[in-house]
Amino acid sequence: MYRLARGTGLLAVLFAGAIFGFFYAWICSTMWGLDAADPRIAIAAMQAMNAAVRNAVFAPAFFGTPFVLALAGVFSLMSAQRAAGASFIAAALTYALGGMMLTVVANVPMNLELAGATIPEDLNDAATLWRSYSEPWQMWNQTRTLFSGLSLLLAAVGLVLLGRNPQRSA
């Protein structure tokens, strides 16, 4: 059971790192670049990116992370590694609520609204539309990034704790 705990623990850290990195990249590059662009281009680019992100490469990290974290927690608990198990389960809950659910209730509705918007030809109208989307979207993205980072940290702690006192069972 310890090997399953260790293997899923490593996978959990990888998944948590992937989703944290994805959200983090939006903070420090993508949105800054779009904010610096012509707002008509920013709107069109964001519409395209939001449509493209729903894919088989992104889905495992976004949807699978809480399950892999929870599974690492369960296997850790079954290996008599209570502290590690608790850390992985806390990571799963942190990401599920602060990363995944926050995305579903905050960012996705904004994305859907932007997807249905017609890009204004007037530069000022486009700038107003972009600002009304970008500013709250970035605030919610920063929030989910913090929760995802905390989830990654908890998963890393779980992995460290799992390696400290391994009770190798079948």
Side-chain angles (χ1 to χ4, degrees):
M1 194 55 61
Y2 176 79
R3 286 184 186 191
L4 279 174
R6 186 81 171 153
T8 56
L10 286 167
L11 191 60
V13 169
L14 178 66
F15 271 56
I19 199 65
F20 169 71
F22 176 81
F23 292 151
Y24 179 72
W26 285 94
I27 290 175
C28 62
S29 61
T30 305
M31 293 307 288
W32 290 350
L34 291 174
D35 284 347
D38 179 312
R40 296 167 293 199
I41 294 170
I43 294 166
M46 192 66 166
Q47 287 172 332
M49 286 185 279
N50 285 333
V53 77
R54 295 183 298 265
N55 64 63
V57 176
F58 174 71
F62 183 75
F63 294 108
T65 295
F67 298 105
V68 175
L69 287 164
L71 194 58
V74 168
F75 288 148
S76 295
L77 291 172
M78 292 174 71
S79 297
Q81 300 292 313
R82 289 189 185 122
S87 191
F88 283 120
I89 289 171
L93 291 171
T94 299
Y95 172 71
L97 298 174
M100 194 165 73
M101 289 308 297
L102 180 60
T103 298
V104 170
V105 301
N107 295 86
V108 169
M110 286 187 270
N111 293 347
L112 294 172
E113 187 176 333
L114 187 69
T118 301
I119 300 171
E121 290 183 29
D122 180 74
L123 184 61
N124 290 328
D125 291 343
T128 299
L129 174 61
W130 178 250
R131 261 192 321 278
S132 70
Y133 169 82
S134 176
E135 290 172 6
W137 192 94
Q138 289 189 62
M139 189 260 315
W140 289 116
N141 182 61
Q142 290 166 5
T143 304
R144 69 183 178 174
T145 302
L146 287 172
F147 278 102
S148 297
L150 179 57
S151 178
L152 173 59
L153 179 62
L154 287 165
V157 167
L159 193 60
V160 168
L161 291 171
L162 193 58
R164 279 201 173 158
N165 187 19
Q167 294 177 351
R168 300 179 195 278
S169 58

